């Protein structure tokens, strides 16, 4: 049996899990379940990254010891994954003593190889990313990756001879062009390595929350140094499957890492270099996915707009949430969460397309055939429909193998539409009136077959829904059935249906509260219907807070849609400055770009610039929204006039 290994990132315990963590872990679980359907044995590792300065500081801020703090947050991650049906085989914690010993063994082995030497690290450090930077990478003391302030450090450190591996890394990227996905991220990695690698500081001394250096490396200083948290965390990928005693090479030789784009450098540069030093095989695949925002705005604790996955799941259900995350965004690209988009998906894709088809099948099978269906004539009566099934199943499998679940789901939905439209076209109720019982049975068997195939394919994405649909047809979801009914596209010829309650009732209004009203009204892209003002609890602010805002009148010079975005308009706005500003606003559903040119709008002019869909947005256009829609605020004053 083919074996493979999948890892999620080992998440920091400085804060509770959010939608981004849920997304990555659900993608890992989806891949595991899909490979299992293909008959593979798959081991999935997830866990928590519990050492380092960031965790030490967070624990202190919560008045707890780092261990107690890590224990409580790590437990939250674990229980969330259990709740989310994540089928992990090991939940590793970097504070597990077995892991710590493995990390020390790895350090020792690289040291013995001559790849580690002692020196002084002097440079910039971002505690939030736990990442080192050189002078050239840092502007205004800000981290080039996350934008938070960096600190400068000068301390004794052990260095890993990363530069020694530059050439071998470049050769590896060249020889294995399909390891790092997506391609444009691979190119960024190659450019980074080509620009020259500097040796990496892999121990810290200024604090103590970490794995100590192995005994005997540096007898006077052993107790002063702790392992750099990224070395510690990356090693968990091998310590989780036996490294130190006996690494499970049967798994490791087919390893897939799934990560967010923020940590690709660690996985595609440092990690393979460590593995080269340890003389271990390199990963087969490193998939880097995009970034989730909420209503077009970057999520952050300080703004208070972080999506809590548990809250979404409790309000809308885990299955719908899993579907939304995997359907809404092409893997590798950035995605946006909004309740509106989630509700649209539930009502149209889940309630209408799947829920209705299953209900109609059960209803008609009950009414006309007492739930027992049988027909060997599906092909004879419905050759056109049957001919469309195999290519759709083929495209589904290709998209899943290419890690494009959103395309795979589109193909699956074509199959559902085929079933729904067959009912509309052939009108079984009229066929029954004309005593065409044979062709009606064949039609219902066609629909049963479509639903069985959909259930088998849908299992990695929505395991419970898929199992329920299959249970109606008294089938189980397993690799034999996947091979039989999806890969071979065999048809069942009879079935006695077991009815279940309707799936996915329609959602009429948002079930979760939105971020704080202050954020909602400022957010230029929030479109979910907010509660009426009378029911809102306003957060009061002092005049000094209001004065921090620089509000200006702007005149729209140009406006156009952002390609591939349903929401964003791209504006060029005159604010009375030397050159116009580019501002993006999520109001494409409410205005045609042309009608906005020349309009006088209100702009938050001193908002920190952000990138949306890769485009810089230097400000925010104000609008008001009620049940009937959204309107831009407008003032007939000249460009640049101050609003106070
Ligand atoms: O980086 N959108 O842990 P971490 C999409 N401990 N994904 C997101 C996201 C967002 N807005 N926010 C977080 C670490 N993620 C290290 C990893 S691995 C050996 C050590 C996801 O808790 C995404 O997968 O900061 C990202 O790479 C990961 O969480 C970062 O998790």
């Amino acid at each position: 049996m083919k074996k493979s290994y999948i890892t999620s990132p080992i998440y920091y315990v400085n804060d509770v899990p959010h939608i981004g963590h849920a997304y990555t872990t659900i993608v890992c679980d989806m891949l595991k379940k899909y490979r299992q359907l293909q008959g593979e044995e798959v081991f999935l590792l997830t866990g928590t990254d519990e050492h380092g300065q960031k965790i030490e500081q967070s624990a202190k801020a919560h008045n707890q010891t780092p261990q107690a703090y890590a224990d409580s947050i790590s437990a939250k991650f674990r229980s969330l994954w259990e709740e989310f049906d994540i089928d992990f085989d090991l939940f590793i914690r970097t504070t597990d003593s077995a892991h710590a010993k493995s990390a020390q063994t790895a350090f020792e082995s690289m040291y013995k190889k001559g790849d580690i030497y002692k020196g002084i690290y002097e440079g910039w450090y971002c505690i939030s990313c736990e990442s080192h930077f050189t002078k050239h990478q840092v502007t205004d003391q800000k981290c080039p990756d996350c934008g938070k302030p960096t600190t400068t450090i000068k301390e004794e450190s052990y260095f890993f001879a990363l530069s020694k591996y530059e050439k071998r890394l470049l050769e590896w990227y060249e020889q294995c062009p399909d390891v790092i996905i997506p391609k444009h991220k691979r190119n960024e990695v190659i450019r980074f390595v080509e620009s020259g690698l500097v040796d990496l500081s892999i121990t810290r001394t200024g604090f103590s929350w970490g794995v100590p250096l192995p005994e005997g490396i540096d007898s006077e200083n052993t107790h002063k140094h702790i392992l750099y948290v990224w070395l510690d965390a990356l090693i968990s990928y091998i310590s989780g499957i036996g490294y130190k005693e006996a690494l499970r090479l049967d798994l490791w030789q087919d390893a897939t890492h799934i990560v967010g784009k923020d940590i690709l450098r660690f996985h595609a540069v440092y990690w393979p270099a460590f593995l080269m030093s340890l003389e271990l095989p390199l990963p087969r695949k490193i998939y880097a996915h995009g970034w989730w925002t909420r209503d077009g705005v970057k999520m952050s604790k300080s703004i208070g707009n972080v999506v809590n996955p548990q809250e979404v799941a409790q309000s809308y259900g885990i299955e719908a949430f899993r579907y939304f995350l995997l359907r809404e965004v092409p893997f590798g690209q950035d995605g946006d969460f909004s309740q509106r988009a989630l509700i649209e998906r539930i009502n149209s894709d889940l309630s209408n397309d799947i829920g209705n088809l299953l209900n109609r099948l059960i209803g008609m099978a009950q009414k006309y055939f007492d739930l027992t269906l049988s027909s060997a004539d599906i092909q004879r009566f419905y050759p056109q429909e049957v001919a469309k099934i195999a290519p759709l199943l083929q495209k589904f499998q290709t998209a899943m193998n290419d890690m494009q679940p959103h395309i795979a789901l589109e193909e699956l939905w074509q199959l559902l539409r085929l079933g729904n439209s067959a009912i509309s076209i052939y009108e079984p109720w009229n066929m029954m009136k004309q005593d065409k019982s044979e062709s009606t049975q064949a039609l219902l068997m066609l629909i049963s077959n479509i639903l069985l195939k959909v259930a088998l394919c849908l299992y990695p994405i929505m395991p419970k829904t898929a199992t329920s649909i299959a249970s109606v047809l008294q089938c189980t979801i397993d690799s034999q059935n996947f091979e039989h009914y999806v890969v071979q596209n065999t048809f069942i010829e009879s079935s006695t249906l077991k009815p279940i309650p309707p799936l996915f009732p329609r959602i009429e209004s948002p079930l979760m509260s939105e971020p704080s009203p202050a954020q909602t009204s400022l957010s230029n892209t929030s479109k979910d219907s907010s509660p009426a003002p009378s029911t809102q609890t306003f957060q009061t602010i002092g005049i000094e807070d209001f004065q921090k805002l620089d509000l200006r009148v702007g005149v729209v010079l140009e406006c156009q849609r952002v390609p591939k975005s349903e929401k964003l308009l791209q504006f060029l706005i005159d604010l009375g400055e030397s050159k116009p500003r580019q501002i993006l606003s999520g109001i494409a559903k409410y205005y045609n770009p042309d009608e906005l040119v020349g309009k006088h709008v209100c702009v938050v002019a001193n908002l920190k610039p952000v990138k949306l869909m890769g485009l810089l947005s230097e400000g925010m256009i104000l609008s008001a929204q009620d049940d009937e829609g959204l309107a831009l605020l407008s003032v007939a004053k000249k460009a640049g006039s101050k609003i106070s």
Side-chain angles (χ1 to χ4, degrees):
M1 190 187 261
K2 188 171 183 301
K3 291 184 185 172
S4 70
Y5 181 45
I6 301 170
T7 68
S8 83
I10 307 300
Y11 303 111
Y12 286 128
V13 289
N14 63 309
D15 208 348
V16 292
H18 67 71
I19 185 174
H21 300 121
Y23 176 65
T24 322
T25 316
I26 288 170
V27 170
C28 293
D29 183 63
M30 175 203 77
L31 188 60
K32 171 173 178 177
K33 288 185 164 71
Y34 184 61
R35 287 185 181 173
Q36 283 178 324
L37 281 179
Q38 292 174 309
E40 279 185 37
E41 183 185 321
V42 190
F43 190 103
L44 172 58
L45 175 109
T46 187
T48 42
D49 187 355
E50 307 185 5
H51 287 131
Q53 205 169 359
K54 171 154 86 170
I55 310 301
E56 195 181 76
Q57 287 183 351
S58 298
K60 208 180 237 169
H62 287 84
N63 249 337
Q64 290 185 33
T65 63
Q67 188 63 63
Y69 185 64
D71 287 347
S72 72
I73 308 273
S74 176
K76 290 200 166 98
F77 273 94
R78 194 184 167 113
S79 74
L80 189 71
W81 302 154
E82 281 162 358
E83 205 179 302
F84 272 45
D85 291 319
I86 306 295
D87 187 14
F88 57 82
D89 296 277
L90 181 66
F91 185 97
I92 196 164
R93 301 183 55 186
T94 54
T95 51
D96 293 341
S97 62
H99 163 76
K101 287 198 187 92
S102 302
Q104 288 176 325
T105 306
F107 186 97
E108 228 165 359
S109 163
M110 297 193 280
Y111 184 78
K112 283 191 186 136
K113 191 155 194 228
D115 284 347
I116 292 180
Y117 62 90
K118 195 149 100 172
I120 302 283
Y121 176 76
E122 186 169 9
W124 278 258
Y125 194 79
C126 171
I127 297 176
S128 181
C129 300
E130 296 283 14
S131 187
H132 305 83
F133 296 102
T134 62
K135 189 175 173 186
H136 308 293
Q137 294 169 313
V138 171
T139 328
D140 293 339
Q141 305 288 326
K142 298 272 165 59
C143 170
D145 287 345
C146 72
K148 294 192 181 142
T150 53
T151 49
T152 45
I153 50 178
K154 183 175 180 183
E155 60 188 25
E156 186 185 276
S157 176
Y158 281 87
F159 285 82
F160 173 72
L162 186 63
S163 53
K164 180 173 150 188
Y165 291 96
E166 191 176 305
K167 193 159 160 276
R168 272 186 67 191
L169 283 169
L170 290 169
E171 281 164 9
W172 179 53
Y173 305 140
E174 174 84 27
Q175 282 156 13
C176 306
D178 295 328
V179 173
I180 303 167
I181 303 227
K183 279 265 173 304
H184 67 276
K185 287 279 151 203
R186 169 180 175 266
N187 295 341
E188 276 175 28
V189 167
I190 294 177
R191 280 198 298 276
F192 175 79
V193 177
E194 279 174 346
S195 71
L197 292 178
V198 290
D199 291 349
L200 186 68
S201 155
I202 51 161
T203 63
R204 299 284 320 269
T205 55
F207 61 98
S208 59
W209 182 236
V211 176
L213 224 60
E215 296 288 336
I217 294 283
D218 181 346
S219 35
E220 312 135 45
N221 279 322
T222 301
H223 299 296
K224 219 167 79 179
H225 288 265
I226 53 169
L227 298 192
Y228 172 41
V229 64
W230 267 102
L231 174 64
D232 175 359
L234 286 163
I235 295 293
S236 63
Y237 292 151
I238 48 175
S239 70
I241 51 166
Y243 178 75
K244 189 167 180 301
E245 270 79 45
L247 176 65
R248 281 195 59 185
L249 273 172
D250 56 338
L251 297 174
W252 181 248
Q253 65 198 2
D254 193 346
T256 296
H257 299 305
I258 298 177
V259 298
K261 63 181 181 181
D262 56 323
I263 55 173
L264 181 59
R265 187 174 73 244
F266 297 91
H267 286 79
V269 181
Y270 306 158
W271 180 227
F274 295 157
L275 289 167
M276 285 172 184
S277 177
L278 292 170
E279 297 176 14
L280 288 174
L282 304 182
R284 273 278 160 85
K285 289 273 179 216
I286 305 173
Y287 288 112
H289 65 69
W291 214 238
W292 282 91
T293 50
R294 180 177 199 161
D295 297 306
V297 178
K298 190 176 168 191
M299 276 178 277
S300 105
K301 232 164 101 174
S302 53
I303 301 181
N305 67 342
V306 175
V307 181
N308 173 348
Q310 203 157 24
E311 195 188 346
V312 181
Q314 276 161 5
S315 306
Y316 295 98
I318 290 161
E319 295 277 299
F321 189 34
R322 285 178 66 118
Y323 174 77
F324 173 82
L325 291 173
L326 298 169
R327 173 67 186 84
E328 189 69 4
V329 47
F331 183 86
Q333 290 182 25
D334 294 343
D336 188 47
F337 174 88
S338 72
Q339 287 201 80
R340 176 178 289 255
L342 174 59
I343 293 170
E344 265 170 31
R345 287 272 173 220
I346 294 176
N347 287 347
S348 90
D349 299 10
L350 302 183
S351 186
N352 269 0
D353 296 338
I354 297 199
N356 269 354
L357 188 61
L358 187 67
N359 269 349
R360 290 164 100 183
L361 173 68
I362 295 173
M364 288 188 284
Q366 191 149 33
K367 184 162 173 196
Y368 304 137
F369 305 110
D370 203 14
L371 292 171
T372 299
L373 302 171
S374 167
S375 173
D377 294 320
I378 309 172
Q379 164 74 30
R380 180 163 68 91
F381 283 112
Y382 304 102
Q384 283 182 5
E385 282 74 15
V386 170
K388 287 183 184 152
I389 294 176
L392 289 173
L393 291 176
Q394 192 49 54
K395 286 187 198 158
F396 168 84
Q397 292 169 78
T398 307
M400 286 299 277
N401 293 333
D402 290 347
M403 195 64 158
Q404 290 294 314
H406 77 291
I407 296 181
L409 286 167
E410 265 170 36
E411 302 302 341
L412 222 48
W413 255 248
Q414 298 281 0
L415 208 53
L416 288 167
R417 278 182 213 118
L418 187 71
N420 273 315
S421 69
I423 296 178
S424 313
I425 295 167
Y426 299 108
E427 301 180 331
W429 47 94
N430 282 332
M431 293 204 289
M432 285 307 284
K433 275 189 206 147
Q434 295 159 21
D435 280 340
K436 291 183 178 165
S437 156
E438 217 190 337
S439 54
T440 310
Q441 285 247 10
L443 180 68
L444 297 189
M445 276 315 296
L446 170 72
I447 308 296
S448 302
N449 274 286
I450 287 179
L451 280 166
L452 175 60
K453 292 171 197 304
V454 166
L456 285 159
C457 293
L458 198 57
Y459 176 74
I461 293 108
M462 301 169 85
K464 290 218 164 83
T465 305
T467 308
S468 302
I469 298 172
S471 77
V472 172
L473 300 159
Q474 308 220 41
C475 278
T476 48
I477 307 261
D478 55 39
S479 59
Q480 277 102 327
N481 280 344
F482 187 79
E483 171 66 27
H484 213 54
Y485 299 118
V486 176
V487 180
Q488 309 285 343
N489 190 24
T490 311
F491 278 49
I492 51 168
E493 294 189 342
S494 63
S495 180
T496 298
L497 305 193
K498 262 177 69 188
I500 56 167
L503 297 173
F504 304 108
R506 281 183 69 80
I507 310 270
E508 300 305 341
S509 55
L511 303 174
M512 261 163 52
S513 59
E514 285 295 346
S516 75
Q519 166 56 18
T520 312
S521 58
L522 274 180
S523 160
N524 59 351
T525 50
S526 173
K527 277 182 280 354
D528 296 318
S529 41
S530 321
S534 59
T535 63
Q536 291 185 7
T537 44
F538 285 106
Q539 277 180 354
T540 53
I541 57 167
I543 186 74
E544 66 289 352
D545 282 326
F546 178 73
Q547 279 165 347
K548 285 185 197 155
L549 286 173
D550 190 352
L551 300 173
R552 301 275 167 172
V553 176
V555 178
V556 179
L557 302 178
E558 285 175 28
C559 180
Q560 59 185 25
R561 287 180 179 278
V562 172
K564 293 197 192 139
S565 169
E566 288 173 10
K567 299 177 177 173
L568 290 175
L569 290 183
Q570 180 182 1
F571 289 84
L572 206 60
I573 294 193
D574 179 6
L575 283 179
E577 299 168 311
S578 56
K579 64 179 183 54
R581 290 210 202 176
Q582 175 169 289
I583 297 182
L584 301 184
S585 178
I587 58 170
K589 283 199 185 148
Y590 301 95
Y591 285 100
N592 274 326
D594 289 346
E595 67 180 292
L596 293 174
V597 175
K599 195 171 173 72
H600 289 232
V601 291
C602 298
V603 173
V604 183
N606 61 339
L607 200 67
K608 201 157 116 194
V610 288
K611 270 200 168 171
L612 300 171
M613 307 275 300
L615 296 167
L616 191 69
S617 179
E618 297 178 278
M620 179 189 285
I621 305 174
L622 296 184
S623 60
Q625 190 175 14
D626 63 13
D627 292 341
E628 282 162 22
L630 175 145
L632 288 176
L633 304 190
S634 190
V635 186
K637 285 282 165 205
K638 67 174 197 264
S641 308
K642 191 159 170 55
I643 303 170
S644 53

